[in-house]
Amino acid sequence: MKKTWVFFIGTLLLMAIVCCSGFAAAKTKMVVWTYMEGQTQIDTLNWMFKTYNESQSESEIVLQYVPFADFKKQLSVGMVAGKLPDLVVIDNPDHAAYAQMGLFADLTKYIAKWPERKAYFPGPWKSTTLNGKNYGIPFTSNCLALFYNQEMLKKAGVTPPQTWSQLRVAAKKLTSPGVFGLGMAAVKSEEGTFQYLPWLLSSGAKIDQLGSKQSIQSLTVLADLVKDGSMPKEVINWTQADVEKQFAAGKLAMMVNGPWNIPEVKRDAPGLKWSVVKIPRDKVYSSVLGGENLGVVNGKNVAAAWKFLQFVGSPKLVKEYSVRFNMFPPRQDVAGDKTWSEDPVMSVFMDQMKYAMPRGPHPKWPEISNAMITALQEVLTQAKTPEQAAKDAQTKVDAVLK
C-alpha cells in the first residue's frame, strides 16, 4: 500500500512539473517571411504577432525578414529545398504567379465559410485569386504620390507641379549643388517597376503596349530628368527607403514615394516642412495600386495559419495595423473611417487611389515587370534610346503574352 501511495504522489508531482514547464502546452511555431522594412513596419508586424500570440494558446507566430531584392529568389530556392515558412507576406502582383507554382495552399473551402470576405475591396481581393480559387487574403493597400519640401519650393518660387512639363521646369529650378530636384526608386526589381508604372499609365499606354509612342514618351521624360541633372543617375540603385533618406536629408526637393514612408520622414527629419500632391500627369493622373497579401504555404500548418488570417482580417485589427503602417485598409467598411478621409496628407493619397491601377494579376507578371524595369534602366543609363528600349521591351512582353 505504501509503495502505491508513493507511486501515486510521484505521478502527480511529475504531471505538475510537466504542466508548469509548458511542455504539455507547447505551441505550434509558425514562421512568417516578409520583406517589409523600415522601423515602423517592423514594429507594427511585431506588435501584430505579439497580439495574436497572447490571444490564444495553440500557435506562436515568428517574424523572419528577407530583403526585397532576395525575396523571390529565396522563395524559389525554398520550394526546391523544401525549406519554406508557414506564411508569406507577398507583393500582391506576385501572388498569382506563386499560387500557379504551388507555393500557396488553396484556401477556398475555408474562405467560403468566412463572412468577412465580403467586406474587402474587389481589386485587392482579386489579387489573391487564381482561376476562381482563393490563395490568401489582402493585407495592406497603398499607392504613390509626390512629396515636396515646402521651404525649397517657396525659396525657388516654384509651385507643386501638376503636369510633366511643369515637373521638368520645377525640378530644374530646384536643383542646386548638393540638391536634386526629383528622386525616385528605379532599382532593378518590382520596386522599380512599381515606381515606373504611374508614368507609363499616365502617358495613355498599357502594360502590353510598351513599344507604343506613349510608352516612349514616358521613358523619355524620366531619361531627360537625369540628362539635365535634375534627377541623380544613382536612382537606378535606390530603393524607396533610400529615396526617403535622401529627401529627409535635404538632398532631394521632391520625391515619388508611398504613405508607408511618412513615419520615416517624420522620424528622420522632425523639423522638415513637407506636403504631398498627386504625381504630375501627362494625359491623365495615374498611380499604381500597391500593397501586400498574406498567403499560407502548402504544408502541415495550413489550418493553424488560416486561424491567424481570420484574426488579422477582423475589422478591429485591420484598422489598427493600417494606421500603424500608414497604409490604406483593404476592407471597404474600415476605409470609410475619418482617419483617412480627414487627414490632410492621407486624403491626398486617398484621392490618388482613385487613379491607382493594379499590377496584374497575371501568372507571368514577374516577366512582364522585368521587361519594364529593364527598359527604364536602359534609358536612365543611356545604354539605349527610349525608342530602342521600348521596342525591346515590347518584344519580351509579346513573347510572354502569346
Side-chain angles (χ1 to χ4, degrees), residues 296-319:
V296 176
V297 173
N298 255 324
K300 61 181 180 181
N301 293 325
V302 172
W306 169 242
K307 290 182 180 179
F308 172 67
L309 261 59
Q310 291 178 82
F311 178 84
V312 172
S314 69
K316 180 180 178 181
L317 260 290
V318 169
K319 179 182 177 182

Side-chain angles (χ1 to χ4, degrees), residues 112-143:
K113 300 176 183 176
W114 190 47
E116 302 294 334
R117 70 186 188 280
K118 299 177 181 177
Y120 283 82
F121 283 111
W125 187 260
K126 186 179 179 183
S127 70
T128 68
T129 67
L130 178 67
N131 299 327
K133 295 182 178 179
N134 294 100
Y135 291 90
I137 65 170
F139 185 39
T140 62
S141 294
N142 60 63
C143 65

Side-chain angles (χ1 to χ4, degrees), residues 2-37:
K2 185 176 180 181
K3 290 183 177 179
T4 301
W5 273 105
V6 170
F7 175 77
F8 179 69
I9 293 172
T11 301
L12 288 177
L13 287 172
L14 179 61
M15 291 176 65
I17 291 171
V18 168
C19 290
C20 290
S21 68
F23 178 77
K27 290 184 173 184
T28 299
K29 184 176 180 179
M30 293 192 291
V31 176
V32 181
W33 279 8
T34 180
Y35 56 81
M36 299 179 80
E37 60 184 1

Side-chain angles (χ1 to χ4, degrees), residues 78-150:
M79 290 179 71
V80 173
K83 294 182 179 179
L84 289 165
D86 301 281
L87 296 119
V88 177
V89 178
I90 192 160
D91 202 10
N92 54 26
D94 293 331
H95 205 137
Y98 282 98
Q100 180 93 331
M101 294 180 205
L103 172 67
F104 293 124
D106 179 3
L107 302 178
T108 307
K109 67 178 182 181
Y110 297 105
I111 287 176
K113 300 176 183 176
W114 190 47
E116 302 294 334
R117 70 186 188 280
K118 299 177 181 177
Y120 283 82
F121 283 111
W125 187 260
K126 186 179 179 183
S127 70
T128 68
T129 67
L130 178 67
N131 299 327
K133 295 182 178 179
N134 294 100
Y135 291 90
I137 65 170
F139 185 39
T140 62
S141 294
N142 60 63
C143 65
L144 295 171
L146 184 74
F147 290 65
Y148 64 93
N149 183 313
Q150 292 176 313

Side-chain angles (χ1 to χ4, degrees), residues 143-146 277-279 285-287 347-356:
C143 65
L144 295 171
L146 184 74
V277 292
K278 293 193 286 291
I279 298 174
Y285 282 117
S286 181
S287 190
S347 61
V348 174
F349 279 100
M350 284 293 284
D351 187 28
Q352 184 84 76
M353 281 287 282
K354 293 188 296 187
Y355 308 97

Side-chain angles (χ1 to χ4, degrees), residues 12 23 54 151 195 249 251 297 338 345 353:
L12 288 177
F23 178 77
E54 293 176 350
E151 291 183 348
Q195 288 253 326
K251 296 180 180 179
V297 173
K338 62 181 181 181
V345 171
M353 281 287 282

